[in-house]
Amino acid sequence: CAAARRWSSRRQLFGNLFSGLSSTASTYSQPVPYGNTIDVIKVEGTIASGSATYQHQWTLQEIDRLIASDTNKAIMLYVNSPGGGIYESDELYLKLKEYKETTKRPVYAYMAQTAASGGLYITMAADKIYANRMTMTGSIGVIMSLTDTTGLQELIGIKEENVVSGKNKSMGNPLTTEQRQILQSMVDESYDIFVDIVAEGRSLPREKVIKLADGRVYSAKQAQEAGLIDEVASYED
């Protein structure tokens, strides 16, 4: 009986020891940031509030957290986006600029499969821009889309009636010449801001950016030759 009690005590001791080791191993199996970090901010999918793949408010809050972090030393902006809303793109661009101005830390951008329109817009806050050799970028411009359904309405016998306070309150369907001019002025204003941001971000003459900014897309090599990116490289590089 005495021998059995001694064996039971030893078994309990070894059990507690291995349990402790197992618990420690489990804890260290999870990656834990230690020391100074370069944090990756991923922008994937359409840059818009409510996007299924991109969380706009979370991204802005995460950059605010990095601004307050003592261990963060830089941001790596990973972009795989065809663009999105001009409002959200500009808001993210300004938040990245705020990060740089407040912390004096750098931002590096990497373009993956696509970084077009708003996807390129946000990279203009970066100190250096890298792109995969198969990246599609560019599409510098602004688009406002409306649908004219008057032909279909006439075909099926539907007539739309609007009671408005002014002749331009109910714009579109179809657009009048005056309404088209009003919307074009808004698009042109946003376009000018986009051009200025690219000129400033890439240290390019505005006249050169205007020539590049006709809405077309560029390959990574073409973008490098035009001065829109710094290097063609892989994400690992």
Side-chain angles (χ1 to χ4, degrees):
C1 290
R5 285 196 297 271
R6 286 196 298 273
W7 169 246
S8 176
S9 296
R10 289 172 183 171
R11 185 171 60 181
Q12 183 177 4
L13 173 63
F14 284 122
N16 291 338
L17 175 61
F18 284 121
S19 175
L21 289 174
S22 175
S23 175
T24 302
S26 176
T27 300
Y28 283 99
S29 67
Q30 302 298 322
V32 179
Y34 179 79
N36 297 333
T37 61
I38 295 175
D39 294 86
V40 179
I41 296 291
K42 287 194 172 184
V43 179
E44 299 181 284
T46 303
I47 304 172
S49 298
S51 171
T53 53
Y54 166 71
Q55 301 300 315
H56 185 60
Q57 289 304 318
W58 180 90
T59 304
L60 298 178
Q61 292 168 7
E62 181 66 6
I63 296 173
D64 279 332
R65 185 188 71 81
L66 296 179
I67 290 174
S69 171
D70 293 330
T71 57
N72 167 264
K73 298 304 175 187
I75 284 177
M76 181 67 166
L77 183 68
Y78 178 97
V79 182
N80 188 11
S81 170
I86 189 69
Y87 177 85
E88 290 85 354
S89 298
D90 190 58
E91 193 170 32
L92 180 52
Y93 165 80
L94 292 175
K95 180 59 68 175
L96 290 166
K97 293 280 285 185
E98 178 188 345
Y99 167 88
K100 289 175 58 177
E101 292 167 3
T102 303
T103 66
K104 309 305 179 187
R105 304 169 198 157
V107 172
Y108 303 103
Y110 175 77
M111 296 177 171
Q113 182 179 6
T114 306
S117 194
L120 179 139
Y121 192 111
I122 62 175
T123 66
M124 292 299 106
D127 295 271
K128 280 195 174 183
I129 303 174
Y130 305 87
N132 185 278
R133 65 181 183 176
M134 294 300 180
T135 294
M136 182 175 66
T137 186
S139 189
I140 303 170
V142 180
I143 183 172
M144 183 182 292
S145 299
L146 299 173
T147 303
D148 183 352
T149 61
T150 52
L152 176 61
Q153 289 176 353
E154 291 173 1
L155 182 64
I156 60 179
I158 296 176
K159 184 179 180 181
E160 181 180 350
E161 295 285 359
N162 294 306
V163 180
V164 298
S165 57
K167 61 180 180 179
N168 291 316
K169 180 62 178 176
S170 179
M171 280 196 183
N173 212 24
L175 282 176
T176 66
T177 301
E178 181 183 12
Q179 290 169 356
R180 182 175 294 277
Q181 291 173 346
I182 291 170
L183 296 180
Q184 186 65 56
S185 69
M186 296 174 65
V187 168
D188 290 344
E189 184 176 330
S190 296
Y191 172 80
D192 286 339
I193 293 173
F194 199 162
V195 167
D196 288 340
I197 283 174
V198 174
E200 177 188 349
R202 300 303 302 163
S203 300
L204 294 172
R206 194 175 193 277
E207 295 73 20
K208 180 177 181 179
V209 176
I210 290 175
K211 291 180 180 179
L212 296 170
D214 61 0
R216 75 180 70 186
V217 294
Y218 297 96
S219 68
K221 182 180 178 182
Q222 291 169 344
Q224 184 181 25
E225 291 172 349
L228 294 175
I229 68 170
D230 292 290
E231 291 184 31
V232 177
S234 67
Y235 181 66
E236 289 71 19
D237 293 335

